[in-house]
Amino acid sequence: MSQRTLTPPESQAPQSGAGSPLGNGLKQRHLSMIGLGGVIGAGLFVGSGAGIAAAGPSIVIAYAASGLLVMFVMRMLGEMSAANPASGSFSVHAERAVGPWAGFTAGWMFWTLLCVGVAIEAIGAAHIMTGWFPGTPAWMWVLLFMMVFTGSNLGAVSHFGEFEFWFAALKIGAIALFLGLGVLAVLGLLPGTASPGTANLLHDGGFLPNGMEGLLVGLLASVVAYGGLETVTIAAAESDDPVKGVATAVKTTMWRIAVVYIGSMLAIVTLLPWNDPAVTEAGPYAATLDHLGIPHAGQVMNVVILIALLSAMNANIYGASRMAYSLVSRGQGPKALAKVSGGVPRRAVLLSSGFGFVTVLLSFWYPDTLFAWLLNMVGGVILVVWGFIAVSQFLLRRRLEREAPQKLVVKMWGFPYLTWVALAAVAGVLLLMALDQDTRVQVVFTGGLTAALAVTGYVMQRRRPE
């Protein structure tokens, strides 16, 4: 067998650069906001409550540990994407590093994850709207949101970029305001409040109230909350300067993770008792604002959460459509989806939106069977994708150093040691999920999906003409 080189096969050529049929309407400000906005979602505003309830104040350690893993993953992905920007991102890198079956598996797994995510976000957004407008059916709001964001993605890519820019700006503004109020309250400088000191951190069971078991539950919850960063490397392929765009976006996004996630978790558990029922009932952010006496905190957070959900819907339809386009353009899906009109893969957009809408219907019709299966199948997908990223970076870095060192615009720190650390951490989290009774079923279903796609991809690879 001949040694692989960095020269992509002909089917991969139109993935990026000047010869790409995709548009290049995304600017650097779009990429920076997409990268940052992608990590600020409903999982942070609402889902983090379950992690706090399980881990207590040690949730800060859980988010710091998983945040470090995410920084490693994004650095590895940034290295590969800056060297070879592609709309298929890690799927293209996995194909180049391991083989077509790996690109097929990683790509279609991520596409499924994003489409199911569209459904979850649409349902959550509809739930908020029915709370504001009692008597209106949830399906009406779902249909409205799906039409709006399908339309935005059928237009020029710059439309998607503008939507995400302003959505992300609003979310970042909300987080900045929350952190500002939190710092003032912790210091005792907020009118009407006294500094809690370390009382909430060290009392009520201490910093680790539920032991290592609680910390592990918090760790698993925090890993899920970090999903979404990968979209920035997909979007970079449609910017006017993909190499500079992905390099800058990845670098600026990573350090902001520490501020947004770890900073806000520290503020919450310092200001609020970790076992306050409102943490899970109202959400940790709304509960903290209520505790500080901020008027209408619950409704304010509902607005922010709605924005986060709609932003995630928009980004997931975009990411899914570009991943599907990349796959089919490389011969790993129906050729009809590869058609591009006006710089947009509109058929891939319609497929991704359609699958998301069907998934919403499944949640209404079969909430305890088909929809539950889908949720379990994607439960560990992000970890499998991170595993593919680590393996791909390890293999491609060696080739880049040998064949095209000038392309190493972004370099993974401490290579190869930190790459191995990241891969071991991914395997460790999956093992913890397998050992935990509540998440074991997700590992089983995700493993089944991975195996099915890998076998399908390998069979397709064997049938390809040399």
Side-chain angles (χ1 to χ4, degrees):
M1 181 179 293
S2 61
Q3 188 180 45
R4 291 181 183 273
T5 68
L6 287 173
T7 304
E10 184 178 354
S11 61
Q12 285 180 222
Q15 290 300 308
S16 63
S20 172
L22 296 179
N24 61 348
L26 294 179
K27 298 178 173 59
Q28 183 57 50
R29 67 183 180 89
H30 294 145
L31 291 180
S32 296
M33 281 297 191
I34 290 168
L36 184 55
V39 299
I40 306 175
L44 173 64
F45 290 119
V46 181
S48 56
I52 294 173
S58 67
I59 191 68
V60 177
I61 302 299
Y63 269 88
S66 55
L68 187 61
L69 171 59
V70 172
M71 287 184 184
F72 289 164
V73 170
M74 285 304 297
R75 189 74 182 188
M76 290 185 285
L77 186 54
E79 177 183 292
M80 295 184 290
S81 296
N84 293 286
S87 62
S89 186
F90 51 82
S91 172
V92 172
H93 306 322
E95 178 171 343
R96 292 164 61 87
V98 183
W101 72 267
F104 178 91
T105 304
W108 285 116
M109 284 186 76
F110 194 69
W111 180 83
T112 304
L113 170 67
L114 294 182
C115 290
V116 174
V118 169
I120 296 171
E121 289 131 15
I123 294 166
H127 178 72
I128 292 175
M129 297 304 294
T130 55
W132 289 343
F133 301 96
T136 57
W139 65 262
M140 180 188 75
W141 296 109
V142 169
L143 180 61
L144 175 63
F145 295 143
M146 291 298 297
M147 290 174 62
V148 168
F149 293 114
T150 299
S152 75
N153 277 279
L154 286 173
V157 70
S158 58
H159 296 167
F160 161 77
E162 284 299 319
F163 263 106
E164 281 305 291
F165 179 85
W166 292 109
F167 276 146
L170 290 169
K171 291 188 291 184
I172 293 165
I175 285 287
L177 180 60
F178 177 84
L179 289 174
L181 292 172
V183 169
L184 291 176
V186 168
L187 297 176
L189 300 178
L190 192 68
T193 63
S195 173
T198 59
N200 292 323
L201 294 173
L202 302 179
H203 297 172
D204 295 321
F207 188 74
L208 203 66
N210 293 320
M212 289 303 297
E213 183 178 352
L215 178 60
L216 294 179
V217 173
L219 179 64
L220 297 178
S222 63
V223 166
V224 174
Y226 279 115
L229 274 169
E230 304 80 11
T231 304
V232 70
T233 60
I234 295 175
E238 293 185 74
S239 65
D240 49 5
D241 189 345
V243 175
K244 179 183 177 181
V246 73
T248 303
V250 168
K251 288 176 182 177
T252 57
T253 297
M254 289 186 298
W255 69 263
R256 290 171 180 173
I257 291 174
V259 176
V260 170
Y261 275 86
I262 303 170
S264 58
M265 287 300 107
L266 181 59
I268 290 167
V269 296
T270 301
L271 294 170
L272 198 66
W274 66 271
N275 52 4
D276 188 326
V279 169
T280 52
E281 293 173 2
Y285 289 81
T288 302
L289 293 176
D290 278 330
H291 181 74
L292 296 178
I294 306 299
H296 311 295
Q299 287 306 315
V300 170
M301 285 312 302
N302 271 340
V303 173
V304 175
I305 292 168
L306 177 65
I307 291 170
L309 288 165
L310 297 181
S311 170
M313 278 185 68
N314 192 36
N316 284 353
I317 292 174
Y318 170 83
S321 66
R322 270 35 175 201
M323 182 60 73
Y325 165 76
S326 175
L327 287 161
V328 300
S329 68
R330 289 180 278 137
Q332 297 182 347
K335 292 182 180 179
L337 296 177
K339 182 176 175 59
V340 175
S341 304
V344 178
R346 293 196 170 102
R347 294 180 181 178
V349 169
L350 292 173
L351 171 69
S352 302
S353 301
F355 186 85
F357 191 68
V358 168
T359 306
V360 172
L361 297 178
L362 292 179
S363 74
F364 289 139
W365 297 336
Y366 309 104
D368 300 320
T369 52
L370 293 179
F371 189 62
W373 293 350
L374 279 172
L375 289 179
N376 285 326
M377 280 194 294
V378 302
V381 161
I382 197 64
L383 288 164
V384 176
V385 167
W386 289 353
F388 274 113
I389 290 172
V391 171
S392 301
Q393 187 269 337
F394 180 82
L395 296 174
L396 291 179
R397 172 64 174 268
R398 297 297 193 193
R399 295 180 205 164
L400 280 167
E401 289 176 336
R402 184 175 62 249
E403 301 172 16
Q406 73 279 4
K407 288 188 174 184
L408 285 170
V409 180
V410 178
K411 290 185 178 181
M412 173 59 182
W413 309 297
F415 179 82
Y417 307 107
L418 291 184
T419 297
W420 283 113
V421 168
L423 194 56
V426 168
V429 175
L430 284 170
L431 178 60
L432 291 175
M433 290 180 68
L435 295 176
D436 185 83
Q437 185 175 356
D438 294 332
T439 54
R440 186 177 303 134
V441 66
Q442 294 181 10
V443 176
V444 173
F445 274 80
T446 301
L449 176 63
T450 305
L453 287 173
V455 170
T456 303
Y458 184 74
V459 170
M460 291 177 62
Q461 178 179 322
R462 295 282 293 178
R463 290 178 176 177
R464 271 187 177 185
E466 292 293 334

